[in-house]
Amino acid sequence: MSTEARTIQGEHPADARERILGALGQYWGYDELRPHQEAAINASLDGRDSLVVLPTGGGKSLCFQIPAALRTGADIVVSPLISLMQDQVEALRTCGYPAVALNSAASPAQNARAEEQIRAGEASLIYAAPERLLSMRTLSLLDGAHINAIVVDEAHCISHWGHDFRPEYRRLTELRRRFPSATWHAFTATATQRVRDDIAHQLGLRDPEILVGDCDRPNLTYRVAPRTSARDQVLEAIRRHDGHAAIVYCISRKDTERTAEWLKGKGVNAAPYHAGLSAERRARVQRDFMAEKLSVVVATVAFGMGVDRSDVRCVVHMAMPKSIEHYQQEAGRAGRDGLPAECVLLYSSYDPEKWRQLMMRSAQETGQDELPEHQLELLDHMRSFCARMKCRHQALAEYFDQSLDSENCGACDVCLGENQAADDAPVIAQKIISCVARLDGRFGAAHVADVLLGSTKERIRTLGHDTLSVHGILAGTPSPVLRSYIDQLIDAGALQRIGEEYPLLQLTDDSLAFLRTEREVSLLTPKAAARAKAPRASESASWEGVDEQLFDRLRTLRREIAEQRGVPAYIVFGDQVLRDLARVRPADRSQMLEVKGIGPRKLEEFGEAFLGCINGANA
Ligand code: ADP
Ligand code: ZN
């Protein structure tokens, strides 16, 4: 509302910096800012709109939490993640930071208390779900609150391009009339240029400061593999992170239940999570996961947003997501604490078709009889990401118009050399291309694969394709591997897919050159047994000097404290703090305050208990 509410505009930069660092230490116990944080904070303090794109775990929250804490009045944070809002606010309050949340997940008593604090001017930051925010009751409450800034978190939700669009986000601009002098700040982790433009346009940002960080997540190791035996592959991945948090994404609700059940049978502490479960059951899964009583959540991709923990060490996709944006968001939930984590994507070349059918069905439900072109385009980018044997970090960076410095990322299946080149690639390519030629380009990839594998299913026999000379010439090749070869040939330009509904596999102008082996081709498959057992350098580095037994004891203590208080474990301390504590073994409170991530408030609350645990261990 009134601009006097801002107290910092025109302040000398050095003074502003000191106050920013002061807040950073006071609430979070950190001593330096990350790239772009200072510029983002200053944009807000200077009263300028901003659009900030930082990867998950890049530290977006501090960019809006700090300015709000440094001035009188309050800022509003709009977030779609209602289920997580309460936890975020709880985490802030544990640091002594004055924040409140207004949303349907909070009890009426909690909401009433939040309203009281807003009226009393005791909240610097007000988190609200979009619907709640736009209600008359909330708006009139906020009228008296000196709103300096409106922060739109997960701002990509306002865009149709590759994201789960939320119609209520479009209504946010109604707030402009209500709070004409407030500045606007959009935050997101994933945004191509197109999405960025869309966000700025939809929110009507005025000459915004645009800050785009490096989108790469170097702490993540990406692995993409053909889905051969899905459940075993999932089990193998989560066993590499035994006892740690993992999320498994499935396309259907049924799959989440079956997979969770199967995993439980294998001794994994797992539970399903999807929109069809009762609110009560979902809340319990969420609570148990947060409290570290549950390690693995098997969720539908459509609904996985509610499960989040910063120490997720592994995210597995049992099938391909429908866009790279979705993949980036979902896989991005791994390693938000910056520590090494792994993302495994199991892929079958049938996945794009399955998505196409699902998307078609939902389009028809809304009366459309065609899929928007851009949806198919996004799907195809995702397909190609899976099928191509190109550095995964590099491929993701390129999709977001960036590029990686190093040739070898050392953190994906391709760069780690976990795939092997088929010795006889030229011959395999010849056989596949011949089969496509023999079938006159009138069949899809699945049928071509069936012929090559020597299938005798009815359709093959009826068409007489079991008598073709190409029938069975690649018999014995695992079917997903063959489908991956076909994808790789498409990617190399040796074949093409034509048509949308039932895409046909056809020759290209270059097919002949491949057939005559004038053009080189390499075909990769995952190495069977040699699944990277050796941890990455950064994985072992992050454990260097850490007394792992002490770490486990500290973890148990953290879980007990969290349980007593009924809060998620990470709110007490993150894994990074626990590792540091188990590395430096502080002897007293002042040494403990040196550890990054421990501020005065947390020292007071938890110092005694953790020092006791550490020094008991020293003795
Ligand atoms: P994002 O919202 O971008 O996914 P968060 O704001 O949750 O990321 O931050 C990720 C983690 O990094 C959190 O644990 C946060 O406390 C930590 N963090 C953020 N900024 C800093 C900083 N300047 N120094 C140290 N840790 C930081
Ligand atoms: Zn790589």
Side-chain angles (χ1 to χ4, degrees), residues 391-393 408-412 415:
C391 169
R392 314 293 176 186
H393 281 269
N408 185 314
C409 77
C412 78
C415 296

Side-chain angles (χ1 to χ4, degrees), residues 1 42 61 112 128 174 182 222 267 407 489 505 554 610:
M1 310 224 36
N42 281 326
S61 325
E174 292 171 24
Y222 295 106
E407 285 274 305
L489 288 175
L505 209 50
L554 294 173
F610 280 86

Side-chain angles (χ1 to χ4, degrees), residues 18-34:
E18 201 165 305
R19 302 220 296 148
I20 292 168
L21 291 176
L24 190 66
Q26 181 195 342
Y27 296 121
W28 293 278
Y30 298 143
D31 51 13
E32 54 193 9
L33 291 164
R34 295 214 181 128

